[in-house]
Amino acid sequence: MQYKYKIWIEKDDNTVFGMGISRLLTLVEETGSLHKAAMSLKMSYRAAWGKIRDYEKRLGVGLLEKGRHGRTGARLTDEGKEMLLEFNRLTKELDQTLDEGPIQDILSRIEKIGEKIE
């Protein structure tokens, strides 16, 4: 058995960063293209760009710079890189805490309960 979780950051009851935008920005950074990142996530370019704009508005900072005339790719702004880096640090810390914490004992007990039912 294994655990899964989702985490996001809120400001004034609005999500300002989470796993979805993190994945999108990571793919933009890897591919150098919002279009390619969107395709990889099976979403339209328009939906991806709308998502970026929504998060930029909520955060109050730019996350993505489009290439010249919108045709030469995209890259993360310094603030976008920093947000992604800090969010990745947060999830890594949570993963480590959960892996080393009592959750493994809890999962083991849950698994034993499931074995009794079979």
Side-chain angles (χ1 to χ4, degrees):
M1 240 181 227
Q2 54 185 311
Y3 64 88
K4 300 283 183 189
Y5 69 89
K6 292 184 181 184
I7 186 166
W8 59 91
I9 300 168
E10 291 185 358
K11 178 182 177 186
D12 300 326
D13 293 325
N14 292 306
T15 301
V16 294
F17 210 83
M19 296 175 124
I21 191 69
S22 171
R23 184 71 184 129
L24 180 58
L25 292 178
T26 298
L27 288 168
V28 168
E29 191 168 48
E30 289 173 1
T31 64
S33 165
L34 180 58
H35 179 72
K36 288 178 185 174
M39 284 178 49
S40 180
L41 294 172
K42 297 181 179 22
M43 66 191 310
S44 71
Y45 173 86
R46 182 179 178 158
W49 187 238
K51 186 174 192 145
I52 296 285
R53 283 190 309 232
D54 287 346
Y55 278 93
E56 287 178 334
K57 185 177 178 182
R58 290 182 216 159
L59 276 168
V61 298
L63 298 171
L64 189 70
E65 292 177 355
K66 288 175 60 176
R68 196 170 189 208
H69 305 294
R71 300 197 183 275
T72 56
R75 66 183 189 95
L76 302 186
T77 63
D78 290 341
E79 293 85 1
K81 289 177 186 177
E82 192 173 357
M83 283 296 299
L84 187 58
L85 177 68
E86 293 304 328
F87 189 78
N88 288 339
R89 284 182 182 159
L90 173 64
T91 56
K92 184 177 179 180
E93 184 73 26
L94 285 170
D95 288 342
Q96 184 177 354
T97 299
L98 291 171
D99 286 343
E100 296 171 359
I103 196 162
Q104 297 307 320
D105 292 336
I106 295 167
L107 287 175
S108 184
R109 290 195 300 272
I110 290 170
E111 197 165 18
K112 285 179 186 175
I113 292 167
E115 290 171 0
K116 289 179 187 177
I117 296 172
E118 293 175 356

